[in-house]
Structures are given as structure tokens and as C-alpha cells.
Amino acid sequence: MPIRLLYTGETPEFQVLPPVFFGDLKLDDLVKAITSKYSEYDIRKIFYTLPRKAETAEYRKQIYHEFSEKPQLVLAAKRYMTTLSATEKKYRYYLQSEEAVQKGSYLLLVCHDFLKALTDFYQALEQEQPLESQGLLSLYESLGAYLSQSDTQSFQEKIQKSFSAMKEMNLTLQIKRGEIVILEQMEEESPHTSVLGDLLTCLQAFDHETYPPAEKDMDLNVYHLFPAPLETNSLENSIVEVLKKNKPEIFKIFQEFSTETFALTDSPWFQLKNDLAFYVSFYEFEQGLNQVGITLCESEIKENAPFRTDAVFDLALAWKNRFFDYEIVKNDIHMLEDKNFFVITGPNQGGKTTLARGLGQAVYFMMMGLKSPCKSLCGPFYSNLLTHFEVEESLESGAGKLKEELNRLKPMMASKFENQFVIINELFTTATTYDATVMAGEVLRHFYENHCYGVYVTHIREIAEEREFPFIQSMVAQVDAAGNRTYKILHQKPEGLGYSDALTNKYHLTANQVRERLQHMEERGEKL
């Protein structure tokens, strides 16, 4: 019985390594921040794997929205995850145990805690009715059906009966002047005697504790019996032998339970904790962002709609500088209906790459069904996300930078997917302007003919000519009148708007100004 909170209508092939675009978009830093508190859960592969269908992104979006609106459900999910993780540790002790009584007792604890976690989570879902998302509603119905099955109820009754017998075994270990006495009950507790409590507490006490040193004429208190799993000393073994004689029916229960067949880690309910951790980890990450004034938004997936986002920003940059007095520059980017690519030109260090990275992050989180770094986002669901960012020339490969760029570009252009979102940053920088323009044109036309969309960042104005490439939309990084970068990107033609124009104006080096100076020099008889 599959329990699915992550996919609908598709079966994923999880990637165990981060895709190439993770490094380009700084998503590796973001996913590390998101998952750092939940490293014991197998969720990084979820972030590494893009859904292939818009239905999956919408399915997740509804689930995450409901978690965000009902924080008590988040707490219930965390309790479920924590309980199942602790149960997994006991399950490993069960698998490693060789002695029947010890093996049965651990398995009894595993089954009891497992079913209690399911019951508690079901009740938490029931208290939050009506559930609005299809995913959580299906989970509630599946969980209720599983708990109401006759086999489940019979097994639960058997566990509860055995568990009650375990809890009834109360004992006191009294060590007094070298004499050890095991008492099942004490009518009056001595100030030098410690009641150990029920056997359940003893078995769950997994932390090592040393017995207090014996002092002359003083009773010795023992606080924990069996402090370490799978390890008992001679004293504890002697105690077990006494208990076996006094309470044989209980130890018989343990021995019988050791033969039960229960594969915890194969259960779909056990795998559910990773699905929940995906949502919980991002929820807590978002809460941390909100505390420092950074907000995210839910995206709207609309097929055949032009890509449109307001106040988009680089989340990795914002996260890195969240504790500093750092202004996040946001941009509004709207693609016209007849366009496929934004071509961004402008001065170096003017925010072009930062914007491209922010757009890529926004698309990624939209495809994952999570919130994006912007104020609003609307666009189609893309089949894949491809990136090619400028890298340093590798001395080890022995290849030039241009060849390395082409080697990385080749599999991107050989991809069979259509409707991909492609981000290319400063390609062909080592080529001449003419060669770079020709090669860039071929690359853009290839992706356009394959119905792809995206961003092309370049320092070459000729690539941004909309007359030459009618499917592109020219964007320009702005500078103010003094030549300072504003990091705002606007939809403009590239002519006359580069950083060089701002510099020439700033230092009075325009063509007319230079001609005037030359004329004055000639009039004064000065030579160059």
C-alpha cells in the first residue's frame, strides 16, 4: 500500500547526487541549510530530483500550504518523525539481539511505539478536519483504513496485552552492606533504597549510567537496570534469572514475540517520515527566513502563460547575509507572449548573474511545489532545468576555456526534453566578439526551436539585438547618472546603455567632448 505525499501520477527515479544546476544556482548551499537539522532523514535525494509533471508540483503546493496554515499539524508530523526514528534504533537492537528474551522485548517495544505513532498522527489529522489538500486527505483515509483492519486491530490487542504485562513487572534492587536483595514490591520505601520502576523504563534507559561508589555503612542506590542495550553485566544477568523464575509468564511473552515477523523499515508508514521531513524542513527554514524579514511566495503554475515574476531575488545571497545590514535588490521580470529568452546585458558586477541565479531558484522551487524567492510568480511548468555558468579554466584537463565550455554545452543541447528552462551565463567570453555572437546565436536558436525558455547573460550587446533574434527580450542592468550600479534590471534595448557610456559621461570622454578638447588644443597650438 503506497503512501505518497510527494508524487501523484508519476513514479520518481531519485538522484543520489546533486544535479549540475545546483552548483550554478547556489542551491547546494540552500538545501544544506534546509536539511541540516534533519540529516538522519533521507530527504536530500528528494531535493535533488525534479518532478516531471505539473500535477506533482500542484499536489505538493497544496500540502505545504495546509501545513503552513495549520502549525499543529507540523508539530504532529515532527512527533511522528521523531518516534519513528527512535523506533528504528530499537529495531536495529532487535535485529542484533541473539538471546530470545532480549530480542522479543525489543520487538515488543518497536511494535508498540510504531502503532502508537500511527494512532497519534491519525488523531492529529482528525482534529484538523476538514483537510483541504488531496495529499493529507488521502493520508488520513489510508491511515484510518489501515488502523481499522482486523489484522491490525488483532495485532494491536496482542501488543497491548503483552505491553501491560511488561509494565506490571515492578521491582526494587536493594544493595545494603554487601547484600543484594531483589524485591518485587516494597510497602514502605527506605531513604537508602531506590525503586527502579517498571521493566519498560529499564529497557528504554539506553544511556550508560555508572553505579554510585560504595561507601562504608551506606546503602547503595541503583537507578537504572540494563543501562545499555545489548549489554548486561553479571549482576544484571543474575537479576534476570531471578525474574524468570518469579514471573515466567512474562518472559514467555518475550520469547514468543521474538518469533514474530515485523519488518519495520519495509513498511510504507515508516517511509512516510521522510516525506513529512521534506515539508517540515522547508517549513522551519521559511520560519527562520521570516524572522529576519525575508519572505517567500507561493507560485502559480499556468500552462501557456508567459513567465512573470515580481520582486524576485537571489535567496542564497539573502540567506548568506541574513544577519548583516544588507539590502536585497529585487527585480520585476515579465516575459512578453512572443518571447522565449531574456538576454541580459550591462556592466560587470551590475547584478546580471545575481538576477539569473534568482530566476533559476524561483523556477526550481516552483517545480518542487515549494515557495519561491519573490513576491509573485506565474508561469508554465517546465520539463527540466539546465544551467551553464562561467567557470575557471581547468589546468588539469589541459583544455582551453572555450573547449571546456563547449564540452559542457554539448549534453545540454543534446537533451531530448522540450519546454526546458535554460540559464546560460557569460558563454564564449574568450572568443572574439564576432565568433561569440555567431556561436551564441546558434545556441539560442537551438533552444528556441526546441521550445525552451530561459535567460542568457552576456557582455556582448549584439546578442541582445531583438531585430536579429526576434524571440529574445532585451534586459539591461542599470547604472545611475554618476555611473554607479543600481542592480536593477529593466526591459530596454542595449544601445547606448552600457557601463562604458556612463563612464565616458562621468569622465567627460564622449566623442563630442573629445572633439571639443582637440579643437581647443589646436587653437592653442598644442600638440598631442
Side-chain angles (χ1 to χ4, degrees):
M1 178 178 55
I3 311 300
R4 312 187 71 177
L5 281 186
L6 295 177
Y7 291 90
T8 179
E10 63 176 300
T11 301
E13 295 182 3
F14 287 113
Q15 297 188 42
V16 296
L17 296 175
V20 173
F21 66 79
F22 256 55
D24 288 342
L25 301 179
K26 302 296 183 185
L27 286 168
D28 43 4
D29 295 336
L30 290 174
V31 169
K32 182 179 179 180
I34 294 167
T35 62
S36 59
K37 291 171 56 179
Y38 297 94
S39 57
E40 64 185 290
Y41 300 92
D42 190 17
I43 57 175
R44 285 209 174 187
K45 68 179 185 182
I46 301 172
F47 285 97
Y48 293 162
T49 307
L50 285 173
R52 295 302 182 192
K53 292 189 176 183
E55 292 80 4
T56 295
E58 189 65 31
Y59 184 74
R60 293 181 181 182
K61 174 185 169 183
Q62 293 175 6
I63 293 172
Y64 186 77
H65 178 81
E66 188 149 26
F67 273 127
S68 300
E69 295 294 316
K70 299 175 179 178
Q72 290 301 317
L73 270 184
V74 177
L75 294 177
K78 288 186 66 174
R79 287 193 296 269
Y80 182 89
M81 292 157 47
T82 302
T83 302
L84 266 292
S85 292
T87 303
E88 183 182 12
K89 296 177 183 177
K90 298 172 191 175
Y91 183 69
R92 288 201 298 266
Y93 296 142
Y94 152 73
L95 294 175
Q96 296 172 36
S97 299
E98 296 180 357
E99 200 273 328
V101 170
Q102 193 177 54
K103 196 175 186 71
S105 60
Y106 281 129
L107 184 58
L108 178 56
L109 285 174
V110 167
C111 295
H112 174 271
D113 293 352
F114 171 76
L115 287 173
K116 187 176 187 306
L118 265 61
T119 302
D120 291 347
F121 194 39
Y122 176 76
Q123 292 174 350
L125 291 169
E126 193 169 41
Q127 290 174 0
E128 296 294 339
Q129 296 288 350
L131 295 170
E132 299 174 359
S133 65
Q134 178 188 346
L136 289 180
L137 180 59
S138 298
L139 173 62
Y140 169 72
E141 293 172 348
S142 298
L143 189 50
Y146 175 76
L147 292 174
S148 62
Q149 289 177 0
S150 57
D151 291 346
T152 305
Q153 291 184 344
S154 298
F155 192 50
Q156 197 164 17
E157 289 173 3
K158 180 180 180 180
I159 293 170
Q160 194 59 47
K161 182 179 179 181
S162 303
F163 206 68
S164 298
M166 178 189 287
K167 294 184 68 174
E168 289 173 3
M169 187 186 291
N170 294 315
L171 58 95
T172 300
L173 178 62
Q174 187 181 67
I175 304 176
K176 186 174 183 180
R177 294 180 180 86
E179 182 184 25
I180 300 176
V181 181
I182 302 171
L183 304 173
E184 291 186 27
Q185 297 288 341
M186 287 194 67
E187 296 180 359
E188 189 172 338
E189 193 172 333
S190 165
H192 299 301
T193 303
S194 173
V195 178
L196 294 178
D198 57 65
L199 185 58
L200 169 63
T201 303
C202 300
L203 287 169
Q204 289 179 327
F206 285 168
D207 295 329
H208 286 275
E209 291 208 16
T210 57
Y211 297 136
E215 296 185 20
K216 188 177 181 180
D217 299 328
M218 176 174 277
D219 296 346
L220 186 63
N221 300 331
V222 180
Y223 294 95
H224 287 266
L225 185 64
F226 312 120
L230 307 178
E231 299 175 9
T232 55
N233 58 36
S234 57
L235 170 61
E236 292 163 341
N237 288 330
S238 300
I239 293 170
V240 170
E241 292 303 318
V242 172
L243 294 175
K244 282 183 179 180
K245 294 177 182 179
N246 292 347
K247 295 285 186 179
E249 66 280 4
I250 295 179
F251 284 87
K252 183 179 179 182
I253 291 174
F254 295 157
Q255 290 175 328
E256 291 178 350
F257 232 90
S258 67
T259 63
E260 287 284 348
T261 301
F262 181 74
L264 174 70
T265 53
D266 292 338
S267 169
W269 299 111
F270 175 79
Q271 303 299 330
L272 176 64
K273 66 182 176 62
N274 295 325
D275 293 12
L276 293 171
F278 170 78
Y279 294 102
V280 171
S281 63
F282 192 83
Y283 173 84
E284 293 188 346
F285 175 72
E286 185 188 6
Q287 296 305 303
L289 290 174
N290 292 342
Q291 290 175 4
V292 293
I294 302 173
T295 57
L296 308 178
C297 85
E298 291 183 353
S299 57
E300 181 183 3
I301 297 176
K302 188 179 293 186
E303 295 304 316
N304 301 319
F307 182 86
R308 180 186 183 95
T309 181
D310 292 320
V312 67
F313 60 94
D314 183 346
L315 182 56
L317 187 63
W319 173 258
K320 180 180 179 181
N321 295 280
R322 65 193 182 280
F323 298 127
F324 302 99
D325 185 15
Y326 186 85
E327 180 184 1
I328 302 175
V329 178
K330 303 177 180 180
N331 281 284
D332 301 336
I333 305 297
H334 302 162
M335 184 174 283
L336 301 177
E337 290 188 6
D338 59 340
K339 305 296 183 180
N340 285 55
F341 272 84
F342 299 110
V343 175
I344 306 177
T345 57
N348 291 335
Q349 307 299 319
K352 304 189 300 294
T353 298
T354 300
L355 174 61
R357 188 176 291 124
L359 287 171
Q361 293 166 6
V363 170
Y364 166 77
F365 285 114
M366 175 187 75
M367 294 178 68
M368 294 297 291
L370 300 170
K371 291 186 177 181
S372 294
C374 52
K375 183 179 179 181
S376 66
L377 174 61
C378 178
F381 183 84
Y382 300 101
S383 63
N384 197 15
L385 183 58
L386 296 177
T387 61
H388 189 305
F389 276 51
E390 184 180 18
V391 295
E392 295 296 328
E393 183 176 339
S394 174
L395 297 178
E396 295 180 0
S397 68
K401 187 173 182 179
L402 179 59
K403 186 173 181 180
E404 288 183 351
E405 290 178 337
L406 293 173
N407 287 338
R408 185 176 168 187
L409 188 64
K410 183 178 179 179
M412 291 176 58
M413 298 182 70
S415 174
K416 297 180 181 179
F417 288 108
E418 292 188 348
N419 190 40
Q420 299 180 106
F421 196 88
V422 183
I423 303 176
I424 298 176
N425 182 60
E426 294 292 3
L427 194 60
F428 309 133
T429 55
T430 58
T432 65
T433 299
Y434 175 79
D435 290 340
T437 303
V438 172
M439 290 188 289
E442 293 300 315
V443 171
L444 284 169
R445 287 190 183 92
H446 169 82
F447 286 117
Y448 168 71
E449 289 169 1
N450 283 275
H451 309 288
C452 294
Y453 301 82
V455 182
Y456 196 108
V457 175
T458 181
H459 64 285
I460 302 174
R461 295 185 191 177
E462 286 80 0
I463 302 174
E465 288 288 349
E466 295 183 358
R467 289 173 297 180
E468 181 69 22
F469 307 105
F471 53 87
I472 71 166
Q473 183 170 325
S474 174
M475 308 289 293
V476 180
Q478 302 295 298
V479 292
D480 60 20
N484 299 313
R485 303 167 181 83
T486 66
Y487 307 107
K488 299 295 290 185
I489 315 291
L490 300 180
H491 179 198
Q492 290 180 344
K493 293 181 178 181
E495 291 90 339
L497 295 171
Y499 192 42
S500 58
D501 295 314
L503 288 176
T504 53
N505 285 323
K506 180 178 181 179
Y507 294 103
H508 309 289
L509 294 173
T510 65
N512 290 333
Q513 291 168 332
V514 171
R515 279 194 290 269
E516 289 177 3
R517 286 202 187 103
L518 291 173
Q519 184 177 354
H520 290 316
M521 290 176 64
E522 185 178 355
E523 292 173 354
R524 293 194 298 266
E526 297 178 0
K527 295 182 179 181
L528 290 175

